Structures are given as structure tokens and as C-alpha cells.
């Protein structure tokens, strides 16, 4: 078993998806950014937006790690 945050993942799954740890770290960072935004800006809409944008970046990362290519159109205008 491999530890992934607070969860444990079977070795076979971790071996099949070598980018799983990097993806989980990305999602964790997205959550922390959203939480930090909520605390500092005190707005749930801003927090939701930050978390959504960061999570989309993580989804794109996962697609890149698994398929070796980014999606053609993310559907949002992100400049970062």
C-alpha cells in the first residue's frame, strides 16, 4: 500500500499511474489556495473560483501525465 495524503492506494494502482502522487499534491495545493482565498478575501465565490481554476490545472496535469498531451480546449481563458 502507498500513502497518498490521508488515503492508502494499492501498489498495483500506484504502479499503473505513476503520476498519481503529483496529481494528489496538485489537488491538495488547489484546496489550500481556495481555503486561503476564503479566509483572506472572506468570499465563498472567490474561493470557489480559485479552487475551480486550480483544480482544472490539476485535471490538465493528470491528462498530460496519463496521455502525454494536454486537452485541446480547456474552456476557460486562463493566463498563468
Amino acid at each position: 500500500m502507498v500513502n497518498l495524503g490521508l488515503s492508502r492506494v494499492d501498489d498495483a494502482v500506484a504502479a499503473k499511474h505513476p503520476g498519481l502522487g503529483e496529481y494528489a499534491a496538485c489537488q491538495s495545493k488547489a484546496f489550500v489556495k481556495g481555503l486561503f482565498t476564503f479566509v483572506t478575501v472572506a468570499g465563498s465565490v472567490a474561493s470557489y473560483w480559485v479552487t475551480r481554476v486550480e483544480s482544472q490545472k490539476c485535471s490538465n496535469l493528470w491528462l498530460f501525465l496519463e496521455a502525454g498531451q494536454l486537452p485541446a480546449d480547456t474552456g476557460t481563458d486562463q493566463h498563468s
Side-chain angles (χ1 to χ4, degrees), residues 33-77:
K33 279 186 174 183
L35 183 60
F36 181 75
T37 302
F38 181 76
V39 170
T40 57
V41 178
S44 61
V45 173
S47 174
Y48 172 79
W49 183 80
V50 167
T51 305
R52 182 175 171 268
V53 168
E54 294 299 319
S55 291
Q56 184 61 50
K57 290 178 187 177
C58 296
S59 295
N60 291 344
L61 172 65
W62 178 254
L63 290 172
F64 178 74
L65 292 172
E66 289 292 305
Q69 61 186 17
L70 291 173
D73 182 19
T74 60
T76 59
D77 186 22

Side-chain angles (χ1 to χ4, degrees), residues 10-25:
D10 189 54
D11 290 330
V13 174
K16 186 176 177 183
H17 304 286
L20 190 58
E22 191 173 350
Y23 172 75

Side-chain angles (χ1 to χ4, degrees), residues 1-15 17-25:
M1 297 299 261
V2 176
N3 288 329
L4 188 62
L6 297 177
S7 302
R8 295 180 61 108
V9 177
D10 189 54
D11 290 330
V13 174
H17 304 286
L20 190 58
E22 191 173 350
Y23 172 75

